[in-house]
Amino acid sequence: MPKRPCSITITADSKTIISADKFGDVYSLPLIPSPAISSNAPISASQTPEPSTAAKPFVPAANELTIHSQRNRKALENQKRQTNRPTEKAEPTFEHKLLLGHVSMLTDVALVAVEGRDYIVTADRDEHIRVSRGIPHAHIIEGFCLGHTEFITRLCFPGSRPGVLISGGGEDELYVWEWLAGRIVGKVDLKGHVDEVRKELDIFKQSEGAAEAVKIVVSGIFAIQTTVGSGMRDVVVVTCEG
């Protein structure tokens, strides 16, 4: 990929990978590459062209007229003999397309469909949750979910309630959104629960004062369904560091 990916997902038709990277960009690329796209085939105009990999000759900024000391002259001679100049990094030649971009590092990307319309929801390090339209109109911003005061790490859409978004990150709470309206409908105390669990662990019971409050960070949010009595209930499982 052009930059380091940090989160990926696959579209509902299982044909396209959506990849978010640490430079704030979201790309789409086919899960199964088209036979027409090969190393020998030209890349279409909608994809990133491959730059020339030929190394440019190294030219020192200084010359014999701008330096005077013997030491600098020797340094200039060494620079002229330099042959280990690193070559420019070539862009990937496989099929890929830029969909949208943030101005800060992305942390998660998710796809969701509501009333027949697809959306791409992205979260970044600067507390933003952005709602964009699905392919091929990903450049259109539907809205933002603003309210986090720390970086966001994970997004989750319960399968049975796609109109609800659960987000978490570096804060002590989980946020519950009506994301199409950009409205917070609730917060769930996560850190208080974690602190209570830590107090009961044997490792902290052995030494007094070892179970002090710590900083926690959400590393995963998962929505599942489980049987409770004679019915099914939605359950959210959260993993965290700390």
Side-chain angles (χ1 to χ4, degrees), residues 135-235:
I135 301 173
H137 304 296
H139 61 281
I140 299 177
I141 301 175
E142 286 287 333
F144 289 88
C145 295
L146 304 177
H148 279 277
T149 58
E150 293 279 355
F151 57 90
I152 305 163
T153 55
R154 291 293 179 265
L155 305 171
C156 178
F157 294 91
S160 61
R161 300 180 65 186
V164 173
L165 166 64
I166 303 168
S167 61
E171 292 165 281
D172 297 341
E173 300 170 310
L174 297 176
Y175 283 54
V176 184
W177 306 82
E178 288 181 352
W179 56 273
L180 271 175
R183 181 169 57 248
I184 300 174
V185 295
K187 296 182 182 181
V188 180
D189 179 20
L190 181 62
K191 190 172 186 302
H193 177 68
V194 171
D195 288 342
E196 289 298 320
V197 172
R198 292 179 76 249
K199 291 179 182 178
E200 300 301 320
L201 297 179
D202 293 337
I203 188 174
F204 296 119
K205 289 181 178 179
Q206 296 173 4
S207 57
E208 184 177 355
E212 69 227 9
V214 297
K215 175 72 173 179
I216 63 171
V217 176
V218 173
S219 58
I221 308 176
F222 312 92
I224 62 172
Q225 285 189 324
T226 185
T227 303
V228 178
S230 58
M232 299 293 294
R233 173 174 292 182
D234 291 324
V235 176

Side-chain angles (χ1 to χ4, degrees), residues 124-139:
D124 65 30
R125 183 181 57 183
D126 293 337
E127 308 146 19
H128 304 125
I129 298 175
R130 171 176 162 178
V131 180
S132 307
R133 291 190 185 178
I135 301 173
H137 304 296
H139 61 281

Side-chain angles (χ1 to χ4, degrees), residues 8-218:
I8 64 171
T9 187
I10 297 179
T11 56
D13 60 7
S14 299
K15 293 182 179 180
T16 305
I17 299 173
I18 306 297
S19 171
D21 66 31
K22 289 185 174 293
F23 276 71
D25 294 328
V26 177
Y27 290 88
S28 67
L29 54 156
L31 181 64
I32 307 297
S34 170
I37 303 297
S38 66
S39 58
N40 297 324
I43 300 178
S44 66
S46 63
Q47 296 148 22
T48 304
E50 182 182 8
S52 172
T53 57
K56 298 178 181 179
F58 175 75
V59 179
N63 57 57
E64 290 80 357
L65 300 178
T66 60
I67 58 176
H68 304 285
S69 68
Q70 188 68 22
R71 178 181 298 178
N72 288 344
R73 289 182 183 276
K74 290 183 178 180
L76 178 59
E77 291 176 0
N78 291 333
Q79 289 183 4
K80 288 181 177 180
R81 289 194 295 266
Q82 179 180 348
T83 58
N84 59 346
R85 183 178 184 274
T87 58
E88 296 180 1
K89 182 180 178 182
E91 291 288 339
T93 58
F94 53 80
E95 184 180 358
H96 65 290
K97 184 177 181 180
L98 177 65
L99 297 180
L100 60 95
H102 283 228
V103 294
S104 61
M105 184 178 77
L106 289 175
T107 54
D108 202 8
V109 59
L111 305 178
V112 62
V114 176
E115 297 180 354
R117 173 171 286 185
D118 295 327
Y119 298 90
I120 301 174
V121 183
T122 46
D124 65 30
R125 183 181 57 183
D126 293 337
E127 308 146 19
H128 304 125
I129 298 175
R130 171 176 162 178
V131 180
S132 307
R133 291 190 185 178
I135 301 173
H137 304 296
H139 61 281
I140 299 177
I141 301 175
E142 286 287 333
F144 289 88
C145 295
L146 304 177
H148 279 277
T149 58
E150 293 279 355
F151 57 90
I152 305 163
T153 55
R154 291 293 179 265
L155 305 171
C156 178
F157 294 91
S160 61
R161 300 180 65 186
V164 173
L165 166 64
I166 303 168
S167 61
E171 292 165 281
D172 297 341
E173 300 170 310
L174 297 176
Y175 283 54
V176 184
W177 306 82
E178 288 181 352
W179 56 273
L180 271 175
R183 181 169 57 248
I184 300 174
V185 295
K187 296 182 182 181
V188 180
D189 179 20
L190 181 62
K191 190 172 186 302
H193 177 68
V194 171
D195 288 342
E196 289 298 320
V197 172
R198 292 179 76 249
K199 291 179 182 178
E200 300 301 320
L201 297 179
D202 293 337
I203 188 174
F204 296 119
K205 289 181 178 179
Q206 296 173 4
S207 57
E208 184 177 355
E212 69 227 9
V214 297
K215 175 72 173 179
I216 63 171
V217 176
V218 173

